[in-house]
């Protein structure tokens, strides 16, 4: 059965598109049957491509995210997805506030899946430079690897 995973940040143009791409790569590496998507809690960038600096960071790491388009998270996402991963604590609080009662998605903080990094945020690189986007890529790759490993073990169980 395909596991469906959604990554959510604020704008859906910096962190969550990178998380989506990193997770796709890790799922492919493990042969995990998974679908990934990303969204933002805000709607300011709806329909836009990822930030050029995020596209460049992905490209430096061998991945193209230029085709992705930003969208806002919706109530339906809480039924569509098995897991919704928040990039920081504000994103998680905003998701909890709009989660329909009884919906099936399991919410968590992305870095909670990395042993030793529980409670940490993937920092917002929006006001940073290329080096901040490289940190974002490292963070989301580490988390995507841990999450994909966990889901693969669940699939095998
Ligand atoms: P993201 O970064 O949440 O990682 O996509 C941001 C993108 C846009 C804004 C803030 C953060 N903004 O204020 O427009």
């Amino acid at each position: 059965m395909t596991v469906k995973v959604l990554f959510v940040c604020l704008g859906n143009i910096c962190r969550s598109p990178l998380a989506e791409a990193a997770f796709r790569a890790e799922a492919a590496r493990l042969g995990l049957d998974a679908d990934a998507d990303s969204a933002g809690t805000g709607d300011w960038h709806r329909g836009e491509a990822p930030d050029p600096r995020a596209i460049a960071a992905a490209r430096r790491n061998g991945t193209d995210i230029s085709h992705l388009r930003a969208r806002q998270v919706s109530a339906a996402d809480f039924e569509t997805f098995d897991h919704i991963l928040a990039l920081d604590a504000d994103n998680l609080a905003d998701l909890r506030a709009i989660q329909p009662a009884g919906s099936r998605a399991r919410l968590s903080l992305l870095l909670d899946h990395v042993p030793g990094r529980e409670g940490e945020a993937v920092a917002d690189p929006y006001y940073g430079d290329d080096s901040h986007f490289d940190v974002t890529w490292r963070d989301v790759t580490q988390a995507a690897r841990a999450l994909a490993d966990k889901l693969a073990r669940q699939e095998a169980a």
Side-chain angles (χ1 to χ4, degrees), residues 9-16 44-45 124-127:
C9 63
L10 179 61
N12 192 208
I13 56 169
C14 298
R15 292 167 292 173
S16 60
W44 312 282
H45 298 283
D124 187 350
Y126 189 65
Y127 296 102

Side-chain angles (χ1 to χ4, degrees), residues 2-7 16 19-25 27 33-39 68 71 81 83:
T2 306
V3 61
K4 301 192 63 141
V5 182
L6 180 68
F7 298 91
S16 60
E20 174 186 346
F23 180 80
R24 282 181 195 282
D33 183 8
D35 272 354
D37 193 7
S38 62
L68 299 179
R71 70 174 182 87
F81 291 91
H83 298 279

Side-chain angles (χ1 to χ4, degrees), residues 12 18 22 35 37 42 55 58 63 81 85 87 93 100 109 111 124 128 140 143-144 148 152:
N12 192 208
L18 290 172
D35 272 354
D37 193 7
I55 293 174
T63 304
F81 291 91
L85 293 307
L87 277 281
L109 188 67
L111 282 172
D124 187 350
V140 298

Side-chain angles (χ1 to χ4, degrees), residues 5 11 15 24 32 45 90-91 97-98 108 119-120 127 139 151:
V5 182
R15 292 167 292 173
R24 282 181 195 282
L32 177 69
H45 298 283
D90 286 342
N91 307 145
I98 61 167
S108 58
E120 283 188 45
Y127 296 102
D139 284 350
L151 294 173

Side-chain angles (χ1 to χ4, degrees), residues 60-102:
R60 285 195 291 281
N61 289 281
T63 304
D64 180 21
I65 62 166
S66 62
H67 59 287
L68 299 179
R69 293 295 177 268
R71 70 174 182 87
Q72 188 174 29
V73 69
S74 71
D77 288 323
F78 292 86
E79 289 301 337
T80 302
F81 291 91
D82 300 297
H83 298 279
I84 300 181
L85 293 307
L87 277 281
D88 68 28
D90 286 342
N91 307 145
L92 184 60
D94 289 343
L95 286 167
R96 290 206 195 288
I98 61 167
Q99 180 174 28

Side-chain angles (χ1 to χ4, degrees), residues 14-15 18 51 53-54 122-136:
C14 298
R15 292 167 292 173
L18 290 172
D51 187 288
R53 297 164 299 171
V122 175
D124 187 350
Y126 189 65
Y127 296 102
D129 58 24
D130 284 345
S131 71
H132 295 87
F133 281 81
D134 284 334
V135 171
T136 305

Side-chain angles (χ1 to χ4, degrees), residues 3 5 23 26-27 29-34 83 144-157:
V3 61
V5 182
F23 180 80
E26 293 303 321
R29 187 179 64 82
L30 291 172
L32 177 69
D33 183 8
H83 298 279
R145 187 165 296 162
L147 179 64
D149 279 341
K150 192 182 282 190
L151 294 173
R153 284 198 304 273
Q154 285 173 8
E155 194 182 56

